[in-house]
Amino acid sequence: EAGVVQSPRYKIIEKKQPVAFWCNPISGHNTLYWYLQNLGQGPELLIRYENEEAVDDSQLPKDRFSAERLKGVDSTLKIQPAELGDSAVYLCASSLAPLETQYFGPGTRLLVL
Amino acid sequence: SQKIEQNSEALNIQEGKTATLTCNYTNYSPAYLQWYRQDPGRGPVFLLLIRENEKEKRKERLKVTFDTTLKQSLFHITASQPADSATYLCALDPQTGANNLFFGTGTRLTVIP
């Protein structure tokens, strides 16, 4: 069974540029999460989707971050414009249902110069 | 304020010994607590979940305890092996039914041959 797929794996951009990350969850997983992980820290939840609905986006900085999961399958997380402090690893996870085990992708490592 | 603290940033032990990692939390009343393993460049991988009414949980060489009075979980790896070297994260869901995980900062374990 394929795991959670994320792309790109690495991204280097200049500050003020836009950037987008893509996530394809495990087939059949209705719940999708985006996390941010800073160096030496644990992941921090940004947004959680149940199918195509964002049911918890309270930690998402909405002035520059946006996310979508149009058909309830894959999802895109966007930052516009990127700031130096956005340099981090962006992790996507999915689960069959809200209380089921979360499976994480390998993450996208973002460096903002 | 709410906190999840893993008391050791790094832990080095000799192969064959038991590694014990600690997770303390304040101002949470979680229904369950989870432990994850994270290798460099990869996303976290779920290991064990322990519920508030369970004192201890085992899986092969892993053992987790959960003391809701002390607000502490201990994670043990017995007969440790170099392949156990990784960062271990504890996580809890402060809102029953949502599974929005809050992670500790992690402990980097190195098992020395």
Side-chain angles (χ1 to χ4, degrees):
Chain A
E1 179 182 285
V4 175
V5 178
Q6 291 188 247
S7 70
R9 291 296 314 275
Y10 304 92
K11 189 74 176 179
I12 301 175
I13 61 171
E14 294 189 347
K15 63 180 180 181
K16 301 185 181 179
Q17 294 300 306
V19 65
F21 314 124
W22 177 80
C23 171
N24 186 250
I26 293 173
S27 177
H29 281 197
N30 296 321
T31 308
L32 184 145
Y33 310 79
W34 282 102
Y35 290 86
L36 175 155
Q37 186 172 26
N38 288 304
L39 188 65
Q41 302 295 315
E44 301 171 33
L45 181 68
L46 291 173
I47 189 169
R48 175 171 66 95
Y49 281 93
E50 298 299 335
N51 298 302
E52 67 274 8
E53 182 181 358
V55 294
D56 189 342
D57 61 357
S58 58
Q59 304 302 314
L60 190 73
K62 298 181 184 61
D63 56 337
R64 297 183 301 108
F65 286 65
S66 64
E68 60 182 15
R69 192 185 185 200
L70 292 175
K71 295 184 179 179
V73 181
D74 56 352
S75 175
T76 303
L77 178 69
K78 298 178 181 177
I79 309 175
Q80 182 170 11
E83 298 179 350
L84 295 176
D86 296 331
S87 296
V89 176
Y90 291 83
L91 293 163
C92 178
S94 70
S95 63
L96 275 172
L99 295 182
E100 299 294 328
T101 300
Q102 294 186 29
Y103 295 86
F104 284 79
T108 296
R109 186 175 299 274
L110 173 67
L111 179 60
V112 182
L113 302 175
Chain B
S1 63
Q2 295 175 316
K3 286 184 182 179
I4 304 170
E5 294 180 320
Q6 295 187 242
N7 67 336
S8 298
E9 185 175 312
L11 178 65
N12 297 332
I13 64 166
Q14 288 294 130
E15 181 176 5
K17 301 292 186 183
T18 296
T20 298
L21 285 62
T22 304
C23 177
N24 295 291
Y25 58 92
T26 55
N27 295 322
Y28 288 109
S29 296
Y32 54 85
L33 190 143
Q34 303 183 26
W35 283 89
Y36 286 76
R37 169 182 174 144
Q38 187 171 26
D39 291 282
R42 295 178 177 263
V45 175
F46 171 78
L47 295 174
L48 281 169
L49 179 151
I50 186 165
R51 301 185 187 281
E52 60 180 340
N53 60 348
E54 297 175 314
K55 295 297 184 186
E56 182 179 296
K57 200 96 173 260
R58 292 176 184 262
K59 178 182 176 183
E60 298 173 350
R61 294 184 295 110
L62 308 181
K63 184 180 84 171
V64 173
T65 62
F66 192 13
D67 189 325
T68 56
T69 301
L70 291 178
K71 295 186 180 295
Q72 180 182 81
S73 176
L74 299 179
F75 177 80
H76 306 272
I77 306 175
T78 59
S80 60
Q81 305 166 0
D84 295 326
S85 298
T87 295
Y88 292 86
L89 299 154
C90 67
L92 56 83
D93 170 17
Q95 303 172 14
T96 301
N99 206 27
N100 290 346
L101 295 178
F102 285 69
F103 284 83
T105 53
T107 296
R108 187 173 66 253
L109 174 68
T110 302
V111 181
I112 303 167

